[in-house]
Each structure stands twice: as C-alpha cells, then as structure tokens.
Amino acid sequence: DAQRDARKQAAVSAGALRWIVVAMRAHPGSAAVQEWACRALAHITHGTDAQADLRRQVAVAAEALPQIVAAMGAPSATAAMQEQACWALYTITFGTDAQRYARKQAAVNVGVLPLLEAL
C-alpha cells in the first residue's frame, strides 16, 4: 500500500540501508544481527512501487551485497539467516529498471553463486 511504500522511502532517506550495513559489519559473528539485518534489507527493497528500484540501487551503493554474501559464508550462519539472506538477495537484484542486470552481476561479482550452490 502507499503508506507502507512511503515508510520504506522515509527509511531510505534517513540512511537506514547504510546503517543496516554498518551493523552487519560491526557484528559479523552474530547470526541474529545478520538475520535481522538481511530481513530489514529485504523488507525495505521489496516492492513494485515507483521508488522500489531506487531503493534497490541505494542498497547496492551502501554495499549491502558484499555484506549479505559475507554473512552467508560466515561460520555462524544459521538456516534462518541463510533464508533471510536469500530473500534480501532476491529483492535487491529484482526490478524492472535497466540497472537490474547490473545488480545481478554485482551479486555474482561478490561471490554469491558458490554460496547458493552450497545451500
């Protein structure tokens, strides 16, 4: 709905995506932090509203993809965290804009494929 999309956009405008990535970097061994961070990334970047593709680009610019991949490869990774990481990868690389292919390639470039194959 429009209110939900407006809340997502307000979070992005306030720098939430960058701070989520900062939290992931600060707590690499915490599966709970990684799981909830991936969940937050997925929720914020999910959608088909007019601003959804922009939110996805902001997530990539905030270096969310390498952090998601790092979380997936961490020894502390749990099944629940892996599930949320996969959802975040999906929502960030999805889209209808021309940059969707670049986002997919960015995920490949940071090493997501071997981790997905190992699941």
Side-chain angles (χ1 to χ4, degrees):
D1 70 8
Q3 287 181 337
R4 178 191 60 230
D5 296 337
R7 286 190 303 270
K8 290 178 184 183
Q9 199 56 41
V12 171
S13 295
L17 293 171
R18 181 173 60 88
W19 287 110
I20 292 167
V21 172
V22 167
M24 293 176 81
R25 281 191 193 121
H27 303 282
S30 172
V33 169
Q34 302 302 315
E35 177 184 344
W36 283 98
C38 286
R39 183 184 304 250
L41 289 168
H43 277 286
I44 293 170
T45 58
H46 183 261
T48 57
D49 59 290
Q51 297 298 313
D53 289 330
L54 177 61
R55 293 193 302 270
R56 294 178 184 108
Q57 285 303 112
V58 172
V60 172
E63 299 186 7
L65 292 172
Q67 282 309 127
I68 294 168
V69 169
M72 291 177 76
S76 60
T78 63
M81 193 282 304
Q82 297 281 7
E83 179 180 355
Q84 294 305 315
C86 287
W87 187 35
L89 287 169
Y90 168 74
T91 61
I92 292 170
T93 59
F94 182 79
T96 58
D97 61 332
Q99 291 81 21
R100 69 187 180 272
Y101 301 114
R103 289 192 298 271
K104 289 172 177 46
Q105 188 61 52
V108 170
N109 292 348
V110 296
V112 73
L113 292 181
L115 293 169
L116 293 175
E117 290 171 351
L119 292 178

